[in-house]
Amino acid sequence: MLRGRISYETPYTLNSPQHGTVECQMRVVCSYLKGFKDQHGVRYIVYVVHQVRVTLHQLHDYYR
């Protein structure tokens, strides 16, 4: 699931024996390290959200 270099969102279902199921959105945000702390490549940050109406990058900036 954590492949590629493009941020994306996909449906996700949370299952609980006590509370049932809930349909959510899983959002995968790709960020490039560019030598930050001597690291290079792509870092994936995964968010599972429910009833959130912001774009992928706004969500990433909000949690950062």
Side-chain angles (χ1 to χ4, degrees):
M1 214 180 250
L2 301 177
R3 295 194 177 145
R5 296 176 175 262
I6 300 172
S7 299
Y8 65 93
E9 58 185 275
T10 184
Y12 187 74
T13 303
L14 292 170
N15 296 309
S16 168
Q18 291 178 330
H19 304 288
T21 62
V22 115
E23 294 287 326
C24 299
Q25 285 289 322
M26 181 170 63
R27 297 182 179 183
V28 179
V29 177
C30 299
S31 64
Y32 298 95
L33 297 172
K34 300 178 187 173
F36 179 70
K37 294 186 179 179
D38 294 326
Q39 297 178 355
H40 298 278
V42 179
R43 175 176 42 192
Y44 298 99
I45 304 167
V46 178
Y47 303 97
V48 177
V49 295
H50 182 64
Q51 296 180 344
V52 173
R53 308 231 188 277
V54 296
T55 66
L56 287 167
H57 296 289
Q58 288 173 337
L59 179 69
H60 178 65
D61 291 340
Y62 178 77
Y63 278 100
R64 185 167 39 155

Short mmCIF file of all heavy atoms in Angstrom, two decimals:
data_model
loop_
_atom_site.label_atom_id
_atom_site.label_comp_id
_atom_site.label_asym_id
_atom_site.label_seq_id
_atom_site.Cartn_x
_atom_site.Cartn_y
_atom_site.Cartn_z
N MET A 1 0.81 -1.19 0.00
CA MET A 1 0.00 0.00 0.00
C MET A 1 0.86 1.26 0.00
O MET A 1 0.45 2.27 -0.53
CB MET A 1 -0.90 -0.02 1.23
CG MET A 1 -2.22 0.61 0.99
SD MET A 1 -3.24 0.57 2.44
CE MET A 1 -4.42 -0.62 1.92
N LEU A 2 2.02 1.21 0.60
CA LEU A 2 2.88 2.39 0.67
C LEU A 2 3.89 2.35 -0.46
O LEU A 2 5.08 2.16 -0.26
CB LEU A 2 3.58 2.45 2.03
CG LEU A 2 2.65 2.52 3.24
CD1 LEU A 2 3.44 2.51 4.52
CD2 LEU A 2 1.75 3.72 3.15
N ARG A 3 3.40 2.55 -1.65
CA ARG A 3 4.26 2.55 -2.82
C ARG A 3 3.93 3.75 -3.68
O ARG A 3 2.85 4.30 -3.60
CB ARG A 3 4.05 1.27 -3.62
CG ARG A 3 4.48 0.07 -2.83
CD ARG A 3 4.61 -1.13 -3.68
NE ARG A 3 5.10 -2.21 -2.82
CZ ARG A 3 4.76 -3.44 -2.92
NH1 ARG A 3 3.94 -3.82 -3.86
NH2 ARG A 3 5.25 -4.34 -2.11
N GLY A 4 4.88 4.10 -4.52
CA GLY A 4 4.66 5.22 -5.41
C GLY A 4 5.16 6.52 -4.80
O GLY A 4 5.68 6.56 -3.70
N ARG A 5 5.00 7.58 -5.55
CA ARG A 5 5.49 8.88 -5.12
C ARG A 5 4.39 9.94 -5.14
O ARG A 5 4.67 11.12 -5.17
CB ARG A 5 6.64 9.31 -6.03
CG ARG A 5 7.83 8.39 -5.91
CD ARG A 5 8.90 8.78 -6.89
NE ARG A 5 10.08 7.98 -6.69
CZ ARG A 5 11.14 8.38 -6.00
NH1 ARG A 5 11.17 9.57 -5.47
NH2 ARG A 5 12.17 7.59 -5.84
N ILE A 6 3.15 9.50 -5.13
CA ILE A 6 2.02 10.42 -5.20
C ILE A 6 1.13 10.20 -3.98
O ILE A 6 0.81 9.06 -3.64
CB ILE A 6 1.21 10.21 -6.49
CG1 ILE A 6 2.08 10.43 -7.71
CG2 ILE A 6 0.01 11.12 -6.52
CD1 ILE A 6 1.41 10.07 -9.01
N SER A 7 0.72 11.26 -3.33
CA SER A 7 -0.22 11.17 -2.21
C SER A 7 -1.58 10.74 -2.76
O SER A 7 -1.95 11.11 -3.87
CB SER A 7 -0.34 12.52 -1.52
OG SER A 7 0.90 12.91 -1.00
N TYR A 8 -2.32 9.97 -1.96
CA TYR A 8 -3.62 9.50 -2.42
C TYR A 8 -4.52 9.19 -1.23
O TYR A 8 -4.09 9.16 -0.09
CB TYR A 8 -3.48 8.26 -3.30
CG TYR A 8 -2.93 7.04 -2.60
CD1 TYR A 8 -3.79 6.11 -2.05
CD2 TYR A 8 -1.56 6.83 -2.48
CE1 TYR A 8 -3.28 4.99 -1.41
CE2 TYR A 8 -1.06 5.72 -1.85
CZ TYR A 8 -1.93 4.79 -1.31
OH TYR A 8 -1.43 3.69 -0.66
N GLU A 9 -5.81 8.97 -1.53
CA GLU A 9 -6.75 8.55 -0.51
C GLU A 9 -7.52 7.35 -1.02
O GLU A 9 -7.70 7.17 -2.22
CB GLU A 9 -7.68 9.67 -0.08
CG GLU A 9 -8.50 10.28 -1.18
CD GLU A 9 -9.29 11.46 -0.68
OE1 GLU A 9 -10.40 11.25 -0.15
OE2 GLU A 9 -8.78 12.58 -0.82
N THR A 10 -7.95 6.51 -0.09
CA THR A 10 -8.66 5.29 -0.44
C THR A 10 -9.65 4.97 0.68
O THR A 10 -9.41 5.33 1.84
CB THR A 10 -7.66 4.12 -0.66
OG1 THR A 10 -8.37 2.98 -1.10
CG2 THR A 10 -6.89 3.80 0.58
N PRO A 11 -10.76 4.30 0.37
CA PRO A 11 -11.69 3.92 1.44
C PRO A 11 -11.06 2.90 2.39
O PRO A 11 -10.22 2.10 1.98
CB PRO A 11 -12.87 3.29 0.70
CG PRO A 11 -12.64 3.50 -0.74
CD PRO A 11 -11.24 3.93 -0.95
N TYR A 12 -11.47 2.93 3.63
CA TYR A 12 -10.95 2.02 4.64
C TYR A 12 -12.08 1.70 5.62
O TYR A 12 -12.88 2.57 5.95
CB TYR A 12 -9.78 2.67 5.38
CG TYR A 12 -9.07 1.76 6.33
CD1 TYR A 12 -8.22 0.77 5.86
CD2 TYR A 12 -9.24 1.88 7.70
CE1 TYR A 12 -7.56 -0.07 6.73
CE2 TYR A 12 -8.58 1.05 8.58
CZ TYR A 12 -7.74 0.07 8.09
OH TYR A 12 -7.08 -0.78 8.95
N THR A 13 -12.16 0.46 6.06
CA THR A 13 -13.20 0.04 7.01
C THR A 13 -12.55 -0.37 8.33
O THR A 13 -11.69 -1.23 8.35
CB THR A 13 -14.00 -1.15 6.44
OG1 THR A 13 -14.56 -0.78 5.18
CG2 THR A 13 -15.13 -1.52 7.38
N LEU A 14 -12.98 0.27 9.40
CA LEU A 14 -12.54 -0.10 10.75
C LEU A 14 -13.57 -1.09 11.31
O LEU A 14 -14.77 -0.83 11.28
CB LEU A 14 -12.47 1.13 11.65
CG LEU A 14 -11.39 2.14 11.33
CD1 LEU A 14 -11.61 3.41 12.15
CD2 LEU A 14 -10.03 1.57 11.60
N ASN A 15 -13.07 -2.21 11.83
CA ASN A 15 -13.95 -3.24 12.38
C ASN A 15 -13.70 -3.39 13.87
O ASN A 15 -12.56 -3.47 14.32
CB ASN A 15 -13.68 -4.59 11.70
CG ASN A 15 -14.00 -4.55 10.24
OD1 ASN A 15 -15.08 -4.13 9.86
ND2 ASN A 15 -13.07 -4.98 9.42
N SER A 16 -14.79 -3.45 14.65
CA SER A 16 -14.70 -3.66 16.09
C SER A 16 -15.78 -4.64 16.50
O SER A 16 -16.94 -4.47 16.14
CB SER A 16 -14.89 -2.33 16.82
OG SER A 16 -15.08 -2.55 18.19
N PRO A 17 -15.43 -5.67 17.28
CA PRO A 17 -16.45 -6.60 17.75
C PRO A 17 -17.49 -5.92 18.65
O PRO A 17 -18.65 -6.31 18.68
CB PRO A 17 -15.68 -7.66 18.52
CG PRO A 17 -14.24 -7.38 18.35
CD PRO A 17 -14.10 -6.06 17.69
N GLN A 18 -17.09 -4.89 19.38
CA GLN A 18 -18.00 -4.21 20.30
C GLN A 18 -18.84 -3.15 19.61
O GLN A 18 -20.00 -2.96 19.92
CB GLN A 18 -17.22 -3.54 21.43
CG GLN A 18 -16.59 -4.50 22.39
CD GLN A 18 -15.79 -3.76 23.45
OE1 GLN A 18 -15.28 -2.68 23.19
NE2 GLN A 18 -15.70 -4.34 24.63
N HIS A 19 -18.23 -2.40 18.65
CA HIS A 19 -18.89 -1.22 18.10
C HIS A 19 -19.28 -1.36 16.64
O HIS A 19 -19.83 -0.42 16.06
CB HIS A 19 -17.98 0.00 18.27
CG HIS A 19 -17.58 0.24 19.69
ND1 HIS A 19 -18.44 0.70 20.64
CD2 HIS A 19 -16.40 0.03 20.33
CE1 HIS A 19 -17.83 0.80 21.81
NE2 HIS A 19 -16.58 0.39 21.65
N GLY A 20 -18.99 -2.49 16.02
CA GLY A 20 -19.36 -2.69 14.62
C GLY A 20 -18.33 -2.12 13.67
O GLY A 20 -17.14 -2.07 13.98
N THR A 21 -18.79 -1.70 12.51
CA THR A 21 -17.87 -1.19 11.49
C THR A 21 -18.15 0.28 11.19
O THR A 21 -19.26 0.76 11.39
CB THR A 21 -17.98 -1.98 10.18
OG1 THR A 21 -19.31 -1.83 9.67
CG2 THR A 21 -17.70 -3.45 10.40
N VAL A 22 -17.14 0.94 10.72
CA VAL A 22 -17.26 2.33 10.30
C VAL A 22 -16.44 2.51 9.03
O VAL A 22 -15.33 2.02 8.93
CB VAL A 22 -16.79 3.27 11.43
CG1 VAL A 22 -15.59 4.05 11.11
CG2 VAL A 22 -17.85 4.18 11.88
N GLU A 23 -17.04 3.16 8.04
CA GLU A 23 -16.34 3.46 6.78
C GLU A 23 -15.59 4.78 6.95
O GLU A 23 -16.19 5.78 7.34
CB GLU A 23 -17.34 3.59 5.63
CG GLU A 23 -18.06 2.31 5.30
CD GLU A 23 -17.15 1.32 4.59
OE1 GLU A 23 -16.27 1.74 3.82
OE2 GLU A 23 -17.35 0.11 4.83
N CYS A 24 -14.30 4.76 6.69
CA CYS A 24 -13.45 5.93 6.83
C CYS A 24 -12.67 6.14 5.54
O CYS A 24 -12.79 5.35 4.61
CB CYS A 24 -12.47 5.75 7.98
SG CYS A 24 -13.23 5.53 9.57
N GLN A 25 -11.88 7.16 5.53
CA GLN A 25 -10.94 7.41 4.45
C GLN A 25 -9.53 7.23 4.99
O GLN A 25 -9.21 7.74 6.07
CB GLN A 25 -11.06 8.84 3.90
CG GLN A 25 -12.26 9.06 3.04
CD GLN A 25 -12.11 8.36 1.71
OE1 GLN A 25 -11.04 8.29 1.12
NE2 GLN A 25 -13.20 7.80 1.24
N MET A 26 -8.72 6.48 4.28
CA MET A 26 -7.31 6.39 4.62
C MET A 26 -6.57 7.29 3.65
O MET A 26 -6.76 7.19 2.43
CB MET A 26 -6.78 4.97 4.51
CG MET A 26 -5.32 4.88 4.88
SD MET A 26 -4.69 3.22 5.04
CE MET A 26 -4.90 2.62 3.39
N ARG A 27 -5.79 8.19 4.18
CA ARG A 27 -5.04 9.13 3.34
C ARG A 27 -3.56 8.89 3.54
O ARG A 27 -3.07 8.89 4.66
CB ARG A 27 -5.41 10.56 3.69
CG ARG A 27 -6.88 10.82 3.41
CD ARG A 27 -7.27 12.21 3.69
NE ARG A 27 -8.69 12.39 3.39
CZ ARG A 27 -9.30 13.54 3.49
NH1 ARG A 27 -8.65 14.61 3.89
NH2 ARG A 27 -10.57 13.64 3.20
N VAL A 28 -2.87 8.68 2.44
CA VAL A 28 -1.43 8.44 2.45
C VAL A 28 -0.77 9.67 1.85
O VAL A 28 -1.03 10.02 0.69
CB VAL A 28 -1.05 7.18 1.65
CG1 VAL A 28 0.44 6.97 1.66
CG2 VAL A 28 -1.78 5.96 2.20
N VAL A 29 0.06 10.35 2.63
CA VAL A 29 0.74 11.56 2.18
C VAL A 29 2.22 11.23 2.01
O VAL A 29 2.86 10.72 2.92
CB VAL A 29 0.56 12.71 3.20
CG1 VAL A 29 1.33 13.94 2.76
CG2 VAL A 29 -0.92 13.02 3.37
N CYS A 30 2.74 11.50 0.81
CA CYS A 30 4.16 11.29 0.52
C CYS A 30 4.89 12.60 0.72
O CYS A 30 4.45 13.65 0.23
CB CYS A 30 4.35 10.84 -0.93
SG CYS A 30 3.54 9.29 -1.31
N SER A 31 5.98 12.55 1.45
CA SER A 31 6.82 13.74 1.57
C SER A 31 8.25 13.33 1.26
O SER A 31 8.66 12.20 1.53
CB SER A 31 6.71 14.36 2.97
OG SER A 31 7.18 13.48 3.95
N TYR A 32 8.99 14.24 0.68
CA TYR A 32 10.36 13.96 0.26
C TYR A 32 11.32 14.51 1.30
O TYR A 32 11.20 15.64 1.75
CB TYR A 32 10.62 14.60 -1.11
CG TYR A 32 9.72 14.02 -2.16
CD1 TYR A 32 8.52 14.64 -2.50
CD2 TYR A 32 10.05 12.83 -2.79
CE1 TYR A 32 7.68 14.09 -3.45
CE2 TYR A 32 9.21 12.28 -3.73
CZ TYR A 32 8.03 12.91 -4.06
OH TYR A 32 7.20 12.36 -5.00
N LEU A 33 12.29 13.69 1.69
CA LEU A 33 13.20 14.07 2.78
C LEU A 33 14.26 15.06 2.34
O LEU A 33 14.66 15.92 3.10
CB LEU A 33 13.83 12.81 3.37
CG LEU A 33 12.80 11.87 4.00
CD1 LEU A 33 13.43 10.56 4.40
CD2 LEU A 33 12.14 12.53 5.19
N LYS A 34 14.76 14.96 1.13
CA LYS A 34 15.70 15.92 0.55
C LYS A 34 16.90 16.23 1.45
O LYS A 34 17.28 17.37 1.64
CB LYS A 34 14.99 17.22 0.20
CG LYS A 34 13.88 17.09 -0.79
CD LYS A 34 13.21 18.43 -1.03
CE LYS A 34 11.98 18.27 -1.88
NZ LYS A 34 11.23 19.51 -2.01
N GLY A 35 17.46 15.20 2.08
CA GLY A 35 18.63 15.41 2.91
C GLY A 35 18.34 15.82 4.32
O GLY A 35 19.25 16.08 5.10
N PHE A 36 17.08 15.90 4.71
CA PHE A 36 16.71 16.26 6.07
C PHE A 36 17.27 15.22 7.04
O PHE A 36 16.99 14.04 6.93
CB PHE A 36 15.19 16.38 6.21
CG PHE A 36 14.71 16.74 7.58
CD1 PHE A 36 14.94 18.00 8.08
CD2 PHE A 36 14.05 15.82 8.36
CE1 PHE A 36 14.51 18.35 9.35
CE2 PHE A 36 13.61 16.15 9.63
CZ PHE A 36 13.84 17.42 10.12
N LYS A 37 18.09 15.66 7.99
CA LYS A 37 18.76 14.78 8.96
C LYS A 37 19.51 13.67 8.24
O LYS A 37 19.48 12.52 8.67
CB LYS A 37 17.76 14.21 9.96
CG LYS A 37 17.15 15.25 10.86
CD LYS A 37 16.28 14.64 11.92
CE LYS A 37 15.70 15.71 12.81
NZ LYS A 37 14.83 15.17 13.84
N ASP A 38 20.17 14.01 7.13
CA ASP A 38 20.96 13.08 6.33
C ASP A 38 20.15 11.91 5.80
O ASP A 38 20.67 10.82 5.59
CB ASP A 38 22.18 12.56 7.11
CG ASP A 38 23.17 13.67 7.40
OD1 ASP A 38 23.29 14.57 6.54
OD2 ASP A 38 23.81 13.63 8.45
N GLN A 39 18.86 12.10 5.59
CA GLN A 39 18.01 11.06 5.01
C GLN A 39 17.55 11.50 3.63
O GLN A 39 17.37 12.69 3.39
CB GLN A 39 16.79 10.81 5.90
CG GLN A 39 17.13 10.28 7.27
CD GLN A 39 15.89 10.10 8.12
OE1 GLN A 39 14.79 10.46 7.72
NE2 GLN A 39 16.07 9.55 9.31
N HIS A 40 17.36 10.53 2.76
CA HIS A 40 16.90 10.81 1.40
C HIS A 40 15.79 9.83 1.06
O HIS A 40 15.70 8.75 1.64
CB HIS A 40 18.05 10.67 0.41
CG HIS A 40 19.16 11.64 0.67
ND1 HIS A 40 19.12 12.94 0.24
CD2 HIS A 40 20.32 11.51 1.36
CE1 HIS A 40 20.20 13.57 0.63
NE2 HIS A 40 20.95 12.72 1.32
N GLY A 41 14.97 10.21 0.12
CA GLY A 41 13.90 9.33 -0.34
C GLY A 41 12.53 9.85 0.02
O GLY A 41 12.34 11.04 0.27
N VAL A 42 11.56 8.95 0.05
CA VAL A 42 10.16 9.30 0.29
C VAL A 42 9.75 8.79 1.67
O VAL A 42 10.06 7.66 2.05
CB VAL A 42 9.25 8.67 -0.79
CG1 VAL A 42 7.80 9.02 -0.53
CG2 VAL A 42 9.67 9.12 -2.17
N ARG A 43 9.06 9.62 2.42
CA ARG A 43 8.48 9.21 3.70
C ARG A 43 6.97 9.17 3.52
O ARG A 43 6.37 10.09 2.98
CB ARG A 43 8.86 10.19 4.80
CG ARG A 43 8.18 9.86 6.11
CD ARG A 43 8.58 10.74 7.26
NE ARG A 43 8.68 12.13 6.86
CZ ARG A 43 9.23 13.07 7.61
NH1 ARG A 43 9.74 12.77 8.77
NH2 ARG A 43 9.26 14.31 7.19
N TYR A 44 6.36 8.10 3.98
CA TYR A 44 4.90 7.94 3.90
C TYR A 44 4.30 8.19 5.27
O TYR A 44 4.74 7.65 6.27
CB TYR A 44 4.55 6.52 3.45
CG TYR A 44 5.07 6.18 2.09
CD1 TYR A 44 6.23 5.45 1.95
CD2 TYR A 44 4.41 6.59 0.95
CE1 TYR A 44 6.73 5.12 0.70
CE2 TYR A 44 4.90 6.28 -0.31
CZ TYR A 44 6.06 5.54 -0.41
OH TYR A 44 6.54 5.23 -1.66
N ILE A 45 3.27 9.01 5.30
CA ILE A 45 2.53 9.28 6.53
C ILE A 45 1.09 8.90 6.26
O ILE A 45 0.48 9.36 5.29
CB ILE A 45 2.65 10.76 6.93
CG1 ILE A 45 4.12 11.13 7.05
CG2 ILE A 45 1.90 11.02 8.22
CD1 ILE A 45 4.37 12.60 7.14
N VAL A 46 0.54 8.02 7.10
CA VAL A 46 -0.80 7.49 6.89
C VAL A 46 -1.75 8.07 7.93
O VAL A 46 -1.45 8.06 9.13
CB VAL A 46 -0.80 5.95 6.98
CG1 VAL A 46 -2.20 5.39 6.81
CG2 VAL A 46 0.14 5.36 5.95
N TYR A 47 -2.89 8.58 7.47
CA TYR A 47 -3.94 9.10 8.34
C TYR A 47 -5.23 8.34 8.04
O TYR A 47 -5.56 8.12 6.88
CB TYR A 47 -4.20 10.59 8.07
CG TYR A 47 -3.01 11.48 8.20
CD1 TYR A 47 -2.28 11.86 7.08
CD2 TYR A 47 -2.61 11.96 9.43
CE1 TYR A 47 -1.18 12.69 7.19
CE2 TYR A 47 -1.50 12.79 9.55
CZ TYR A 47 -0.81 13.15 8.42
OH TYR A 47 0.28 13.97 8.53
N VAL A 48 -5.94 7.94 9.06
CA VAL A 48 -7.29 7.40 8.89
C VAL A 48 -8.22 8.46 9.45
O VAL A 48 -8.13 8.82 10.63
CB VAL A 48 -7.47 6.05 9.62
CG1 VAL A 48 -8.90 5.57 9.48
CG2 VAL A 48 -6.50 5.03 9.05
N VAL A 49 -9.10 8.98 8.60
CA VAL A 49 -9.95 10.10 8.99
C VAL A 49 -11.41 9.74 8.76
O VAL A 49 -11.74 8.90 7.94
CB VAL A 49 -9.59 11.38 8.22
CG1 VAL A 49 -8.20 11.84 8.58
CG2 VAL A 49 -9.72 11.19 6.74
N HIS A 50 -12.26 10.40 9.51
CA HIS A 50 -13.71 10.20 9.37
C HIS A 50 -14.37 11.56 9.38
O HIS A 50 -14.19 12.35 10.31
CB HIS A 50 -14.22 9.34 10.53
CG HIS A 50 -15.67 9.04 10.46
ND1 HIS A 50 -16.22 8.29 9.44
CD2 HIS A 50 -16.69 9.38 11.26
CE1 HIS A 50 -17.52 8.18 9.63
NE2 HIS A 50 -17.82 8.85 10.73
N GLN A 51 -15.11 11.84 8.34
CA GLN A 51 -15.84 13.10 8.18
C GLN A 51 -14.93 14.32 8.27
O GLN A 51 -15.25 15.30 8.94
CB GLN A 51 -16.97 13.19 9.20
CG GLN A 51 -18.02 12.12 9.02
CD GLN A 51 -19.13 12.20 10.03
OE1 GLN A 51 -19.01 12.86 11.06
NE2 GLN A 51 -20.23 11.53 9.75
N VAL A 52 -13.80 14.27 7.60
CA VAL A 52 -12.87 15.40 7.52
C VAL A 52 -12.91 15.92 6.10
O VAL A 52 -12.81 15.16 5.15
CB VAL A 52 -11.44 14.97 7.91
CG1 VAL A 52 -10.45 16.07 7.67
CG2 VAL A 52 -11.41 14.52 9.36
N ARG A 53 -13.05 17.21 5.94
CA ARG A 53 -13.21 17.79 4.61
C ARG A 53 -12.06 18.73 4.25
O ARG A 53 -12.28 19.89 3.96
CB ARG A 53 -14.53 18.54 4.54
CG ARG A 53 -15.72 17.73 4.97
CD ARG A 53 -16.83 17.78 3.96
NE ARG A 53 -18.04 17.16 4.42
CZ ARG A 53 -18.28 15.86 4.37
NH1 ARG A 53 -17.38 15.05 3.93
NH2 ARG A 53 -19.43 15.38 4.79
N VAL A 54 -10.85 18.23 4.31
CA VAL A 54 -9.69 19.01 3.90
C VAL A 54 -8.90 18.20 2.87
O VAL A 54 -9.03 16.98 2.80
CB VAL A 54 -8.78 19.39 5.09
CG1 VAL A 54 -9.51 20.29 6.06
CG2 VAL A 54 -8.26 18.17 5.79
N THR A 55 -8.06 18.88 2.11
CA THR A 55 -7.25 18.19 1.12
C THR A 55 -6.12 17.42 1.80
O THR A 55 -5.84 17.61 2.98
CB THR A 55 -6.65 19.19 0.11
OG1 THR A 55 -5.72 20.01 0.81
CG2 THR A 55 -7.71 20.03 -0.55
N LEU A 56 -5.46 16.58 1.02
CA LEU A 56 -4.36 15.78 1.56
C LEU A 56 -3.27 16.65 2.18
O LEU A 56 -2.81 16.41 3.29
CB LEU A 56 -3.75 14.93 0.45
CG LEU A 56 -4.58 13.75 -0.02
CD1 LEU A 56 -4.01 13.19 -1.31
CD2 LEU A 56 -4.62 12.68 1.03
N HIS A 57 -2.85 17.69 1.48
CA HIS A 57 -1.75 18.51 1.97
C HIS A 57 -2.17 19.42 3.11
O HIS A 57 -1.38 19.72 3.99
CB HIS A 57 -1.12 19.28 0.82
CG HIS A 57 -0.49 18.36 -0.17
ND1 HIS A 57 0.66 17.65 0.10
CD2 HIS A 57 -0.88 17.97 -1.40
CE1 HIS A 57 0.96 16.89 -0.92
NE2 HIS A 57 0.04 17.06 -1.85
N GLN A 58 -3.44 19.84 3.13
CA GLN A 58 -3.92 20.61 4.27
C GLN A 58 -3.94 19.73 5.52
O GLN A 58 -3.59 20.18 6.61
CB GLN A 58 -5.33 21.14 4.00
CG GLN A 58 -5.37 22.26 3.01
CD GLN A 58 -6.80 22.65 2.65
OE1 GLN A 58 -7.72 21.85 2.80
NE2 GLN A 58 -6.98 23.86 2.17
N LEU A 59 -4.33 18.47 5.35
CA LEU A 59 -4.34 17.54 6.48
C LEU A 59 -2.94 17.34 7.02
O LEU A 59 -2.70 17.39 8.23
CB LEU A 59 -4.93 16.19 6.03
CG LEU A 59 -4.99 15.10 7.07
CD1 LEU A 59 -6.02 15.45 8.15
CD2 LEU A 59 -5.35 13.78 6.43
N HIS A 60 -1.98 17.15 6.12
CA HIS A 60 -0.59 16.96 6.53
C HIS A 60 -0.07 18.21 7.27
O HIS A 60 0.55 18.09 8.32
CB HIS A 60 0.27 16.67 5.31
CG HIS A 60 1.72 16.52 5.61
ND1 HIS A 60 2.20 15.49 6.38
CD2 HIS A 60 2.78 17.28 5.28
CE1 HIS A 60 3.51 15.62 6.49
NE2 HIS A 60 3.88 16.69 5.84
N ASP A 61 -0.33 19.39 6.74
CA ASP A 61 0.11 20.62 7.39
C ASP A 61 -0.56 20.82 8.76
O ASP A 61 0.06 21.29 9.71
CB ASP A 61 -0.17 21.84 6.51
CG ASP A 61 0.73 21.86 5.28
OD1 ASP A 61 1.78 21.18 5.30
OD2 ASP A 61 0.38 22.53 4.30
N TYR A 62 -1.83 20.44 8.86
CA TYR A 62 -2.57 20.57 10.12
C TYR A 62 -1.92 19.71 11.21
O TYR A 62 -1.74 20.17 12.33
CB TYR A 62 -4.02 20.16 9.91
CG TYR A 62 -4.86 20.21 11.15
CD1 TYR A 62 -5.31 21.43 11.64
CD2 TYR A 62 -5.21 19.06 11.83
CE1 TYR A 62 -6.08 21.49 12.79
CE2 TYR A 62 -5.97 19.09 12.98
CZ TYR A 62 -6.41 20.31 13.45
OH TYR A 62 -7.16 20.36 14.59
N TYR A 63 -1.59 18.47 10.90
CA TYR A 63 -1.00 17.59 11.90
C TYR A 63 0.47 17.86 12.13
O TYR A 63 1.01 17.49 13.15
CB TYR A 63 -1.20 16.13 11.51
CG TYR A 63 -2.56 15.62 11.91
CD1 TYR A 63 -3.58 15.53 11.00
CD2 TYR A 63 -2.81 15.25 13.23
CE1 TYR A 63 -4.83 15.09 11.37
CE2 TYR A 63 -4.06 14.80 13.61
CZ TYR A 63 -5.06 14.72 12.66
OH TYR A 63 -6.29 14.29 13.04
N ARG A 64 1.14 18.49 11.18
CA ARG A 64 2.56 18.80 11.35
C ARG A 64 2.69 19.86 12.41
O ARG A 64 3.46 19.91 13.25
CB ARG A 64 3.15 19.28 10.03
CG ARG A 64 4.62 19.49 10.11
CD ARG A 64 5.28 19.66 8.80
NE ARG A 64 4.48 20.43 7.87
CZ ARG A 64 4.98 21.09 6.87
NH1 ARG A 64 6.24 21.09 6.66
NH2 ARG A 64 4.22 21.74 6.05
#
